[in-house]
Amino acid sequence: EEQIRHMAQHNTLTGLPNRLALLMRLAQVLPEARRHDWKVAVMFLDLDRFKVINDTLGHQVGDELLREVACRLAATVRETDLVARLGGDEFVVLLPDIANATDAAIVAGKIIGALSTPVVVDKHELHTTPSIGISIFPTDGSDGDTVLKNADTAMYHAKSAGRNNYQFYAEDMNLATTARLGLENKL
């Protein structure tokens, strides 16, 4: 029973918690944060150039890269934080009980530093960088889905801002996204 629960809540490739485990943890952390007036940071991370590496060198090399990224992410955060793999090259870092947004920026900087060192897989020296979107509870959303969605939106802005950086969510990001979607629908 315990093994089945573990399999249901963890990614088989990396051993990290999966989306289900992340959502369960958010459901625990946010009410506690609301009660104690804590801030919680949600960082949505996507690897730059991962698709090129995966398509060029094969899925085995891509899988090894993902395993190493998972290890580096887990080694970068506190024991009370959560690193989850949502799938593909998407990861989420949950930072409960932070003092302010600066704490999240410091962790994002550490993650960028941890991933700046090349990963060697089968004699291939791989270089990948993260694009990180950050949203803060309760400022950027009152529930887990909203905070997660807003961190994802901020991550796309990090990618468009040149990759290998982090961006905090701002409300005007959703306005730009909504306007672009409206234009696409009209086209």
Side-chain angles (χ1 to χ4, degrees):
E1 205 173 291
E2 184 59 36
Q3 185 180 6
I4 290 170
R5 185 182 307 76
H6 185 270
M7 289 170 56
Q9 296 178 12
H10 289 80
N11 176 262
T12 54
L13 178 68
T14 62
L16 291 176
N18 61 16
R19 181 182 298 271
L20 174 64
L22 170 67
L23 294 175
M24 288 169 55
R25 181 85 164 109
L26 270 172
Q28 291 172 338
V29 167
L30 297 187
E32 199 173 323
R34 200 175 282 115
R35 189 169 41 257
H36 296 291
D37 202 27
W38 294 339
K39 290 181 178 10
V40 176
V42 175
M43 306 170 75
F44 202 103
L45 185 147
D46 188 81
L47 298 178
D48 304 325
R49 299 183 51 250
F50 176 74
K51 185 172 175 13
V52 173
I53 292 168
N54 210 30
D55 290 349
T56 307
L57 301 175
H59 292 286
Q60 281 184 304
V61 172
D63 287 352
E64 284 302 316
L65 175 61
L66 291 171
R67 282 189 198 98
E68 179 60 25
V69 167
C71 288
R72 291 183 187 188
L73 289 174
T76 304
V77 300
R78 305 172 299 185
E79 216 174 84
T80 56
D81 300 335
L82 176 83
V83 177
R85 178 175 177 232
L86 300 189
D89 62 332
E90 293 181 336
F91 295 85
V92 170
V93 178
L94 178 65
L95 307 173
D97 189 20
I98 60 169
N100 52 47
T102 305
D103 291 346
I106 290 168
V107 174
K110 287 180 181 179
I111 288 171
I112 289 170
L115 297 182
S116 66
T117 313
V119 176
V120 178
V121 178
D122 294 340
K123 300 177 187 170
H124 299 286
E125 190 173 284
L126 307 176
H127 298 269
T128 188
T129 55
S131 291
I132 305 171
I134 305 170
S135 65
I136 307 291
F137 171 86
T139 314
D140 300 326
S142 60
D143 60 79
D145 287 339
T146 304
V147 177
L148 195 57
K149 179 182 75 73
N150 289 342
D152 187 22
T153 299
M155 183 273 298
Y156 280 102
H157 283 269
K159 279 202 177 291
S160 65
R163 302 170 191 263
N164 196 28
N165 72 87
Y166 62 88
Q167 297 287 318
F168 281 92
Y169 173 78
E171 202 168 320
D172 62 339
M173 291 177 177
N174 272 341
L175 296 175
T177 303
T178 303
R180 188 172 60 248
L181 183 62
L183 179 61
E184 286 176 12
N185 285 339
K186 289 176 184 175
L187 288 172

